Amino acid sequence: MQIEGVTYDIDWCAFQKGTSFTIPCLDTAKAKEEVTRKADQFKIDIHTKVVIEDGIRALRVWRM
């Protein structure tokens, strides 16, 4: 999956319920679209939220 020119290799099959990851990005709406598209492809239920962590804007993704 590529977001803002950076390739992320997410192991969606190993992404366990209750865990999360963060993707640093400026265009969070576009990042959310890409992450949601990939999660839907693997039939994984996720929740996303725009966060600021250590002064960096990011998209936090939780598996539900």
Side-chain angles (χ1 to χ4, degrees), residues 2-60:
Q2 190 167 11
I3 297 174
E4 296 182 355
V6 178
T7 301
Y8 293 91
D9 186 22
I10 307 296
D11 187 354
W12 291 98
C13 296
F15 189 24
Q16 297 179 8
K17 290 183 180 183
T19 61
S20 68
F21 62 88
T22 303
I23 298 177
C25 56
L26 297 173
D27 188 353
T28 54
K30 193 170 183 180
K32 182 179 177 177
E33 287 177 18
E34 180 63 22
V35 169
T36 301
R37 186 181 66 77
K38 279 300 217 180
D40 288 347
Q41 182 180 357
F42 286 92
K43 295 180 174 50
I44 293 175
D45 184 28
I46 61 168
H47 176 76
T48 61
K49 183 177 180 180
V50 177
V51 297
I52 305 291
E53 294 184 357
D54 297 325
I56 298 171
R57 184 180 175 129
L59 183 70
R60 168 76 60 183

